[in-house]
Amino acid sequence: MQLPFPLVEDPDSIASERGRKLFDGSNSDFLKGVVAMDGLPEGDRLEVCFAGRSNVGKSSLINALTGRKGLARASNTPGRTQEINFFTLTDSHYLVDLPGYGYANAPIPVVEKWQRLLKRYLSGRVNLRRAFVLIDTRHGVKAVDEEIMSLLDSSAVTFQVVMTKADKVKDKDREKILNQVREKLSKHPAAYPEMVLTSSEKGDGIATLRAIIAGLD
């Protein structure tokens, strides 16, 4: 019997090569940071977004995907990124880095502003093909993760869980965390039925995630 929400299998050579070509380091660049809906770029290309708790490793993952170490700037202060950051990927895709959530030190009005912008973006971006929700393999799904998953449910945006920092967890502990994530995902109708296990530091799962994004239409 197959487990619900299994890990994605490694891509075949064709899919892997398609992903490699799309994410060639020369193909990606920072476009702009957006603080209001009227600043969004025109939705003229396929778009994927990355959401996750502060310090989950979003910037590191985007840098690993694109092969550009400094493209997305990681901050030592969780929650410091207060913008929706757009990156171009050739002339066919946008990669979107959403503000980190679960930030303990941000003022309440700032948090509320981010939340309003996030809700409007998710519900109004017709070219958004998939959201990737990043979950730290060391910690599993937290309450704030479930909040963003529920928001994606209500916005009818398909989301796929990407487990980060997998290299930081022993195999026996990792399976326990994965089962906790599976149990949480079973409650969310917008959840894509496969997960991706990654390590930006080791490169694990990066080719798989590239192939997934390259295969969207």
Side-chain angles (χ1 to χ4, degrees):
M1 178 178 174
Q2 188 178 35
L3 287 169
F5 299 98
L7 296 176
V8 177
E9 294 184 359
D10 293 338
D12 61 28
S13 58
I14 295 174
S16 183
E17 178 63 8
R18 186 168 55 199
R20 187 197 66 78
K21 286 182 177 179
L22 178 63
F23 281 91
D24 182 279
S26 62
N27 289 341
S28 54
D29 208 351
F30 175 72
L31 177 64
K32 65 188 302 189
V34 174
V35 295
M37 288 294 287
D38 59 7
L40 293 177
E42 187 176 350
D44 58 353
R45 62 190 72 182
L46 188 148
E47 190 165 301
V48 297
C49 68
F50 297 86
R53 294 196 309 273
S54 296
N55 209 29
V56 75
K58 276 195 292 97
S59 296
S60 297
L61 182 68
I62 291 171
N63 291 340
L65 283 170
T66 58
R68 295 190 58 188
K69 191 172 182 180
L71 183 63
R73 295 179 181 176
S75 172
N76 292 325
T77 305
R80 191 172 186 177
T81 303
Q82 301 177 20
E83 302 175 335
I84 297 177
N85 289 311
F86 281 78
F87 303 89
T88 56
L89 195 59
T90 70
D91 58 358
S92 61
H93 290 67
Y94 285 131
L95 300 182
V96 184
D97 183 8
L98 299 179
Y101 54 83
Y103 20 74
N105 298 322
I108 291 176
V110 172
V111 174
E112 291 176 343
K113 180 182 178 181
W114 293 350
Q115 289 174 337
R116 286 195 300 271
L117 178 60
L118 187 59
K119 289 177 181 178
R120 291 184 65 189
Y121 166 75
L122 291 174
S123 61
R125 198 67 174 164
V126 295
N127 58 318
L128 178 61
R129 290 294 182 272
R130 187 169 299 176
F132 293 98
V133 176
L134 277 54
I135 303 294
D136 192 323
T137 307
R138 298 172 299 178
H139 307 304
V141 173
K142 302 291 188 181
V144 288
D145 297 313
E146 293 202 81
E147 289 177 15
I148 194 75
M149 291 175 185
S150 294
L151 176 57
L152 289 159
D153 288 337
S154 63
S155 302
V157 175
T158 299
F159 70 88
Q160 186 164 12
V161 160
V162 176
M163 305 297 297
T164 63
K165 306 183 183 183
D167 59 303
K168 308 296 185 185
V169 180
K170 294 178 181 178
D171 290 347
K172 62 182 180 64
D173 299 322
R174 184 188 303 158
E175 197 57 37
K176 182 179 178 181
I177 291 291
L178 289 175
N179 286 334
Q180 185 259 5
V181 176
R182 290 180 175 115
E183 189 273 327
K184 297 294 186 182
L185 287 178
S186 66
K187 304 172 184 177
H188 294 281
Y192 190 80
E194 294 178 321
M195 298 187 294
V196 188
L197 192 68
T198 69
S199 165
S200 298
E201 187 173 317
K202 302 293 186 182
D204 299 340
I206 298 303
T208 300
L209 189 51
R210 286 172 175 166
I212 290 170
I213 295 170
L216 296 173
D217 53 26

